[in-house]
């Protein structure tokens, strides 16, 4: 034991040094463990398009606490890191970079754009690793994965081919969400609903009057519809009526459909199948034709006559003015409140379009598998094979899964994994597992890429399956730790594809955590000026203080509250732990041995307190209630150990009959405390351990006793 214990823990100087010692020890790599029992976590891969934020730091604090605890308990423990190419998300970030440089992706060659984004993402990968190391993440970096690694891409292709052969992947013309800014299809999960007020126009269609918020799409009308039970219009059903339009006289057929609500407007609606998903379904039922009048850029096309080339809002204004001149507007309700879909990134209003896309059927049984993808995931939770740590998220999962629709997989982007699909001159489809068809020079390859969630939801088996026996040893993983904002984007889809390909759940437990909020419980955002930089906090107060502050008081599923005051309080706690160690080392002899011998009432009381705390901590970790473990340890260290026992022992250290046992007790209690505290404050606990043991061995590799 060193005779001179430093007065303070210099986190800025020591944390990087300690992390390097951990790396050199090989303790992060489960291959160095002889245990036959395993535990595993896969890091939800951060997007390779920027820096980590405080939410990432919270997730790291949870995961690292779990894996360090499992290692201390003697398990062969894998925490596999990686990053996601993040498709649309990354391309959007890169487009902003291009805009600042005065460039645009629309003027770039596809291969050139892909290459530039790839270089951009590789640079970000390096930054992300450095940040994770700064936070103390004890990942096995030898197993670092990127969702564009060739083996990963190969697995994605194999899954696509398997699903295609099973009849679960198909190509079809169906309604899609189209972002006119980013020029790509988006899934329903990539859109947001916004309530806005628009005029509701009452337009005369011959003898009928109907209400619509989109008069500019009238050039794509293929029918008008009423409810079959609406007595007002029963004489018109099935008839063709003469109407006057801004383009001159026309005729249109009146149909009946239960979808029409008699109470909306006049009870008559226009059917524009190419620009409304509900109208498309009506058109399917009544075999109506499709007429697209708005192009991919959100401009009117040839069918709009004199309005061709106008943007949607401009055309709406001009069409309404011209209809008013011809007396075709009966009235206008200026304050009609309704929901519109917008792109979740740029907030541009989504334009529904009917496009040929690749789809994944989620509610149709496979020809070979015999079960739907949805049922595979649902059954896993219902049988208890997969458990949610918090019941309310299980309930949300059930509700969402029951309302699933087929998933559009293809995206019109340059960045991502290109579909392994080719077409011959007759349009015949050839799907491979990524290899070139023998007659590839005679074929045309699909240019679309996968929705990034299709590749990332294969993360568990695609990463573990590419390293020795990892899939056999670590799958299913012990738990998944992730935020509730991607429960449906990623978690549910990952369950479906993992169970489909591997025959069992990808994780035993699902720990859904909340989103970090400021001291006023406000969501953190740049516009509010309350964003907290985790690296800046780590530099000022230490990574341990930040981690402890994030975990303290944060039950699973709740939004943790973080503030500088709370972080400062936890920095005081780590200082307290350091000062306890310093007092003990300065108060005992160099020959003291860590062993507990009960002599006094104080010895008995602190031993009981420690045993109770250890039991609480173990139960808390095993049930993923890390906040309970952190709070129990805080109380024991600060009150039972420091305020009570150490004060009592100051007198006992002065008496020959109690000195030796008290020294051993203090040293033993300190070591036990360090082992239990290590998952929460790994740097300062390791630094103290090094001071106690002259740099021999690492606390990270000790055993929970």
């Amino acid at each position: 034991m060193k005779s001179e214990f430093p007065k303070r823990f210099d986190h800025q100087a020591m944390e990087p040094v300690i992390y390097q010692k951990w790396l050199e020890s090989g303790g992060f790599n489960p291959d160095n463990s002889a245990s036959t029992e395993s535990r595993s976590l896969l890091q939800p891969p951060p997007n390779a398009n920027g820096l980590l934020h405080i939410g990432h730091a919270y997730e790291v604090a949870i995961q690292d606490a779990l894996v360090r605890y499992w290692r201390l308990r003697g398990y062969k423990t894998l925490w596999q890191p990686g990053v996601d190419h993040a498709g649309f998300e990354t391309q959007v970030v890169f487009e902003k970079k291009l805009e600042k440089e005065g460039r645009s992706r629309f003027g770039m060659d596809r291969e050139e754009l892909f290459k530039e984004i790839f270089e951009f993402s590789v640079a970000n990968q390096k930054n992300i690793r450095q940040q994770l190391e700064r936070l103390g993440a004890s990942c096995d970096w030898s197993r670092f994965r990127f969702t564009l690694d060739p083996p990963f891409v190969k697995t994605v292709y194999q899954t696509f081919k398997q699903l295609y052969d099973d009849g679960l992947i198909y190509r079809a013309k169906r309604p899609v969400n189209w972002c006119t800014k980013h020029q790509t299809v988006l899934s329903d999960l990539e859109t947001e609903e916004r309530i806005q007020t628009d005029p509701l126009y009452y337009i005369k269609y011959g003898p009928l009057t109907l209400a619509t918020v989109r008069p500019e799409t009238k050039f794509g009308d293929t029918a008008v519809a009423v409810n079959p039970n609406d007595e007002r219009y029963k004489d018109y059903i099935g008839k063709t009526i003469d109407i006057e339009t801004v383009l001159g006289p026309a005729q249109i057929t009146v149909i009946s459909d239960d979808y029409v609500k008699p109470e909306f407007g006049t009870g008559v609606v226009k059917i524009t199948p190419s620009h409304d998903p509900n109208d498309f379904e009506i058109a399917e039922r009544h075999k109506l034709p499709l007429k697209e009048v708005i192009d991919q850029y959100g401009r009117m096309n040839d069918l709009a006559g004199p309005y061709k080339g106008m943007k949607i809002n401009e055309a709406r204004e001009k069409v309404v003015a011209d209809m008013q001149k011809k007396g075709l507007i009966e009235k206008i309700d200026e304050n009609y409140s309704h929901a519109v879909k917008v792109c979740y990134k740029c907030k541009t209003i989504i334009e529904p379009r009917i496009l040929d896309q690749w789809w994944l059927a989620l509610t149709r049984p496979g020809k070979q598998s015999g079960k739907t993808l949805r049922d595979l995931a649902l059954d896993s939770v219902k049988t208890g094979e997969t458990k949610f740590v918090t019941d309310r998220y299980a309930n949300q999962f059930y509700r969402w899964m029951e309302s699933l629709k087929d998933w559009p997989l293809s995206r019109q982007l340059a960045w991502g994994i290109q579909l392994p699909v080719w077409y011959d001159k007759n349009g015949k489809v050839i799907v491979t597992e990524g290899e070139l068809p023998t007659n590839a020079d005679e074929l045309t390859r699909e240019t679309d890429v996968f929705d990034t969630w299709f590749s990332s939801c294969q993360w568990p088996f695609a990463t573990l399956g590419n390293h020795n026996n990892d899939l056999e040893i670590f799958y299913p993983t012990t738990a998944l730790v992730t935020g509730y904002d991607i429960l449906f984007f990623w978690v549910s889809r990952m369950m479906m594809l993992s169970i489909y390909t591997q025959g069992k759940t990808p994780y035993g437990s699902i720990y859904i955590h909340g989103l970090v909020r400021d001291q006023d419980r406000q969501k953190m955002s740049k516009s509010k000026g309350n964003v907290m930089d985790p690296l800046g906090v780590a530099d000022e107060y230490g990574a341990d203080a930040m981690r402890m502050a994030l975990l303290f008081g944060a039950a699973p599923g709740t939004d943790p509250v973080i503030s500088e005051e709370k972080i400062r309080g936890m920095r005081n706690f780590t200082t307290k732990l350091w000062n306890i160690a310093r007092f003990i080392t300065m108060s005992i002899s160099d020959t003291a041995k860590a062993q507990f011998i009960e002599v006094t009432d104080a010895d008995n009381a602190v031993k009981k307190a420690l045993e109770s705390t250890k039991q609480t901590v173990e139960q808390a970790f095993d049930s993923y209630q890390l906040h309970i473990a952190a709070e129990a340890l805080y109380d024991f260290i600060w009150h039972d150990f420091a305020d009570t026992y150490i004060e009592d022992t100051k007198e006992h250290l002065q008496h020959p009959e109690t000195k030796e046992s008290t020294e051993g007790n203090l040293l033993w209690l300190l070591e036990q405390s360090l082992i239990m505290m290590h998952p929460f404050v790994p740097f300062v606990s390791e630094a103290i351990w090094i001071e106690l043991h002259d740099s021999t061995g690492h606390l990270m590799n000790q055993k929970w006793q």
Side-chain angles (χ1 to χ4, degrees):
M1 186 184 301
K2 291 184 178 179
S3 57
E4 189 69 29
F5 198 98
K7 290 184 178 181
R8 69 184 185 91
F9 175 58
D10 185 347
H11 65 268
Q12 289 183 333
M14 288 302 299
E15 287 180 351
V17 172
I18 290 170
Y19 196 89
Q20 187 59 37
K21 288 179 180 290
W22 288 332
L23 287 177
E24 293 169 357
S25 76
F28 298 168
N29 191 327
D31 296 341
N32 295 325
S33 169
S35 176
T36 57
E37 292 188 77
S38 66
R39 294 287 185 272
S40 56
L41 275 182
L42 302 182
Q43 182 188 70
N47 294 343
N49 56 29
L51 301 177
L52 301 182
H53 52 68
I54 194 70
H56 289 116
Y58 178 44
E59 199 164 83
V60 166
I62 297 170
Q63 293 179 91
D64 197 49
L66 287 169
V67 298
R68 287 181 185 274
Y69 172 73
W70 291 335
R71 288 195 195 100
L72 290 168
R73 295 306 301 265
Y75 296 111
K76 180 190 289 287
T77 301
L78 169 65
W79 184 17
Q80 182 169 292
V83 294
D84 187 8
H85 70 275
F88 179 62
E89 294 259 355
T90 296
Q91 185 157 313
V92 168
V93 172
F94 192 75
E95 284 182 43
K96 291 179 181 177
K97 177 177 179 291
L98 290 175
E99 286 175 10
K100 291 178 181 178
E101 298 170 356
R103 298 192 291 157
S104 167
R105 76 171 171 102
F106 296 109
M108 299 177 68
D109 175 80
R110 180 189 179 96
E111 286 72 25
E112 175 193 356
L113 178 61
F114 186 95
K115 181 182 177 183
E116 285 200 30
I117 301 178
F118 188 88
E119 292 170 352
F120 171 73
S121 68
V122 168
N124 283 321
Q125 290 178 45
K126 296 176 182 177
N127 294 333
I128 288 170
R129 172 168 177 172
Q130 290 173 354
Q131 292 165 6
L132 289 170
E133 291 184 351
R134 184 67 189 85
L135 298 174
S138 57
C139 309
D140 178 10
W141 295 108
S142 71
R143 287 171 164 89
F144 182 84
R145 298 288 180 265
F146 179 39
T147 54
L148 286 183
D149 290 340
F152 191 99
V153 173
K154 177 68 174 175
T155 300
V156 172
Y157 284 157
Q158 289 171 340
T159 302
F160 181 79
K161 180 71 160 57
Q162 182 180 348
L163 290 163
Y164 178 77
D165 292 343
D166 203 9
L168 294 177
I169 281 181
Y170 61 95
R171 185 169 174 82
K173 263 194 170 185
R174 297 183 56 190
V176 295
N177 303 305
W178 181 261
C179 178
T180 55
K181 174 177 172 60
H182 292 115
Q183 292 291 289
T184 186
V185 167
L186 300 175
S187 72
D188 286 340
L189 288 176
E190 294 167 315
T191 66
E192 297 174 355
E193 271 202 354
R194 183 175 74 199
I195 303 298
Q196 65 182 39
T197 300
D198 285 312
L200 182 63
Y201 303 96
Y202 287 77
I203 304 173
K204 296 175 182 177
Y205 270 54
L208 304 177
T209 298
L210 57 80
T212 181
V213 293
R214 300 203 66 187
E216 76 282 357
T217 64
K218 70 187 309 298
F219 310 108
D221 295 350
T222 56
V224 293
V226 298
N227 188 284
N229 300 314
D230 195 331
E231 291 293 324
R232 294 173 293 176
Y233 306 114
K234 64 180 182 180
D235 293 339
Y236 290 99
I237 295 173
K239 294 181 179 179
T240 298
I241 59 175
D242 294 318
I243 63 173
E244 184 63 32
T245 76
V246 289
L247 299 183
Q251 291 185 322
I252 199 162
T253 301
V254 181
I255 64 171
S256 65
D257 196 277
D258 289 330
Y259 172 79
V260 180
K261 298 178 177 63
E263 65 273 15
F264 172 75
T266 64
V268 183
V269 297
K270 67 190 194 70
I271 305 302
T272 319
S274 292
H275 299 285
D276 186 288
N278 296 313
D279 288 4
F280 176 82
E281 291 183 8
I282 293 173
E284 290 260 285
R285 289 194 288 272
H286 296 271
K287 296 182 171 51
L288 300 177
L290 307 179
K291 291 169 61 179
E292 184 177 57
V293 297
I294 299 173
D295 69 14
Q296 69 186 88
Y297 302 106
R299 293 181 180 273
M300 309 305 293
N301 67 16
D302 292 341
L303 294 180
Y307 309 99
K308 177 186 176 182
M310 292 183 183
K311 290 188 175 180
I312 292 171
N313 289 338
E314 178 189 4
R316 182 178 304 171
E317 185 178 334
K318 187 70 170 70
V319 167
V320 169
D322 290 347
M323 283 196 293
Q324 286 176 316
K325 289 177 185 177
K326 297 188 72 169
L328 299 176
I329 299 288
E330 184 174 289
K331 67 174 182 175
I332 302 174
D333 177 356
E334 295 287 355
N335 298 302
Y336 177 63
S337 178
H338 66 123
V340 296
K341 276 186 178 182
V342 298
C343 170
Y344 80 121
K345 278 298 176 186
C346 65
K347 311 307 177 187
T348 299
I349 293 179
I350 290 297
E351 182 55 46
R353 299 185 71 199
I354 311 300
L355 295 177
D356 246 342
Q357 296 293 301
W358 285 92
W359 300 81
L360 176 58
L362 302 177
T363 59
R364 183 171 73 208
K367 293 183 296 186
Q368 299 168 12
S369 59
K371 273 198 171 186
T372 71
L373 293 174
R374 175 176 64 187
D375 287 346
L376 290 175
L378 280 171
D379 290 349
S380 177
V381 178
K382 289 176 180 176
T383 62
E385 184 185 19
T386 306
K387 297 181 177 66
F388 280 86
V389 172
T390 308
D391 287 341
R392 68 185 173 114
Y393 290 114
N395 295 331
Q396 286 184 21
F397 168 80
Y398 285 132
R399 287 196 298 272
W400 183 74
M401 294 295 280
E402 291 298 338
S403 61
L404 275 187
K405 296 180 181 178
D406 286 1
W407 175 11
L409 295 181
S410 40
R411 297 290 180 272
Q412 293 65 51
L413 305 170
W415 179 242
I417 300 174
Q418 194 173 353
L419 272 68
V421 175
W422 282 260
Y423 307 97
D424 69 14
K425 60 183 179 181
N426 297 316
K428 180 183 176 183
V429 173
I430 297 116
V431 174
T432 73
E433 293 185 353
E435 70 277 7
L436 289 174
T438 53
N439 58 336
D441 56 334
E442 301 172 8
L443 306 174
T444 302
R445 183 165 186 185
E446 174 64 73
T447 57
D448 286 356
V449 301
F450 287 115
D451 176 357
T452 188
W453 297 103
F454 180 72
S455 51
S456 66
C457 74
Q458 299 180 52
W459 186 247
F461 59 92
T463 54
L464 291 175
N466 291 317
H467 188 277
N468 298 336
N469 297 320
D470 280 2
L471 196 61
E472 178 183 340
I473 298 171
F474 298 112
Y475 186 98
T477 60
T478 309
L480 172 71
V481 178
T482 192
Y484 60 66
D485 54 329
I486 57 173
L487 174 59
F488 309 127
F489 273 112
W490 191 52
V491 179
S492 302
R493 290 165 165 177
M494 189 157 47
M495 289 179 68
M496 288 187 276
L497 288 194
S498 294
I499 297 171
Y500 176 80
T501 59
Q502 306 304 310
K504 49 189 173 182
T505 183
Y507 24 72
S509 297
I510 302 175
Y511 182 120
I512 301 292
H513 62 72
L515 304 182
V516 181
R517 297 184 180 273
D518 68 13
Q519 59 189 1
D520 298 319
R521 304 201 68 85
Q522 296 294 307
K523 183 178 179 180
M524 292 192 175
S525 68
K526 292 180 181 178
S527 61
K528 293 178 182 176
N530 62 351
V531 173
M532 187 175 286
D533 171 25
L535 281 304
V537 171
D539 284 342
E540 184 170 358
Y541 296 105
D544 287 337
M546 179 179 62
R547 290 166 55 131
M548 191 71 176
L550 285 165
L551 294 174
F552 200 88
T558 62
D559 292 341
V561 174
I562 193 72
S563 65
E564 190 165 2
E565 181 182 3
K566 187 178 182 183
I567 296 167
R568 192 181 298 116
M570 290 305 161
R571 193 268 311 275
N572 293 342
F573 175 67
T574 60
T575 300
K576 184 75 169 180
L577 186 61
W578 183 265
N579 288 338
I580 288 171
R582 187 166 187 269
F583 167 79
I584 291 173
T585 57
M586 292 175 64
S587 302
I588 64 177
S589 62
D590 289 342
T591 58
K593 294 181 179 179
Q595 55 184 357
F596 200 89
I597 302 173
E598 291 184 35
V599 175
T600 68
D601 290 342
D603 295 338
N604 181 264
V606 77
K607 183 73 178 299
K608 286 182 178 179
L610 181 132
E611 289 172 348
S612 175
T613 300
K614 182 175 288 188
Q615 184 178 27
T616 298
V617 170
E618 290 173 356
Q619 291 174 348
F621 265 105
D622 292 343
S623 60
Y624 300 98
Q625 306 295 317
L626 272 61
H627 65 297
I628 293 177
E631 291 157 18
L633 285 166
Y634 183 98
D635 287 342
F636 173 77
I637 298 292
W638 200 292
H639 302 298
D640 296 295
F641 193 5
D643 291 350
T644 303
Y645 187 69
I646 286 181
E647 288 303 313
D648 287 341
T649 59
K650 288 178 180 177
E651 181 181 348
H652 298 147
L653 288 170
Q654 306 304 315
H655 294 284
E657 62 269 23
T658 56
K659 178 178 173 58
E660 184 177 351
S661 64
T662 301
E663 287 183 350
N665 291 351
L666 284 169
L667 194 54
W668 183 84
L669 285 168
L670 176 59
E671 290 190 355
Q672 292 300 302
S673 298
L674 292 175
I675 289 172
M676 289 193 293
M677 283 303 309
H678 184 68
F680 296 101
V681 289
F683 287 111
V684 70
S685 58
E686 186 72 77
I688 295 171
W689 191 269
I690 291 171
E691 292 294 333
L692 294 177
H693 296 279
D694 293 325
S695 299
T696 57
H698 292 87
L699 174 58
M700 180 184 71
N701 300 326
Q702 299 305 307
K703 298 304 177 191
W704 195 275
Q705 299 173 3

